[in-house]
Amino acid sequence: MDDLPDDLPSVGRHRGNDPPTETGKEVRSPEGPAPDSSPASPAPALFQLIHAPDRDRLQIRVHSARTEEPPMPDADDVTEIGQYRSVDDLRTALREKSIEGRVAVFEDAESETVLTDEDVTPSHAWIGQPRYERITFVADAGDVSDYVSGLEYPLA
């Protein structure tokens, strides 16, 4: 390095002018989260809750967490109740729609099977699991076999 400037020694402190200590700009750091708050957690999925009034069915459709699903237009056969990014919000919506007494049909995309449960509540452990791509709540227990027979996955 033969081309070093005269005022820049190879060892030691720079001999030029010191930088100004006051720049005239105010710098603020963003305010952090409250110390007593819980840490943020990523959404496991986008949950879309749909109601089919003619057959009295509720259905949760699970989409990828990064999906931006446009709101479903109201039609005669289905109505979108809402889209939820947290499991707690989904469970709250299910409590409002009162799913107790319905039979739940869980479509398991991982094992490509269908599972049913007659004793389901909004706090059911499988609700909110992205593994179940659709969960349908059927009011009439006799209607479950008709619904399951129309699905692409076999009953487990």
Side-chain angles (χ1 to χ4, degrees):
M1 300 205 40
D2 296 333
D3 57 344
L4 288 175
D6 292 338
D7 67 338
L8 185 62
S10 59
V11 178
R13 186 172 184 270
H14 176 65
R15 290 181 286 183
N17 296 335
D18 288 331
T21 57
E22 192 61 44
T23 61
K25 292 186 178 182
E26 185 176 327
V27 179
R28 296 183 184 187
S29 68
E31 191 173 310
D36 60 343
S37 67
S38 60
S41 59
L46 170 67
F47 304 101
Q48 186 178 31
L49 185 59
I50 296 171
H51 182 235
D54 61 335
R55 289 168 266 156
D56 195 20
R57 291 182 187 159
L58 285 168
Q59 186 176 71
I60 300 169
R61 295 180 183 172
V62 181
H63 304 280
S64 167
R66 294 180 181 241
T67 300
E68 292 294 329
E69 190 71 24
M72 191 176 212
D74 286 343
D76 294 335
D77 56 342
V78 292
T79 304
E80 181 180 86
I81 296 170
Q83 295 183 12
Y84 311 96
R85 295 236 179 239
S86 79
V87 177
D88 291 336
D89 291 342
L90 174 64
R91 291 179 193 276
T92 300
L94 291 173
R95 277 186 202 90
E96 291 172 2
K97 290 299 175 184
S98 182
I99 62 168
E100 287 83 6
R102 294 177 182 253
V103 178
V105 179
F106 295 88
E107 297 178 43
D108 187 348
E110 196 170 296
S111 67
E112 296 185 348
T113 58
V114 174
L115 306 163
T116 60
D117 192 349
E118 295 177 5
D119 186 28
V120 69
T121 64
S123 60
H124 193 284
W126 293 352
I127 293 175
Q129 299 294 324
R131 156 182 197 154
Y132 303 102
E133 61 186 16
R134 279 190 303 204
I135 304 169
T136 306
F137 303 97
V138 182
D140 183 17
D143 191 25
V144 173
S145 61
D146 291 338
Y147 177 75
V148 171
S149 65
L151 299 175
E152 63 183 273
Y153 301 140
L155 186 61

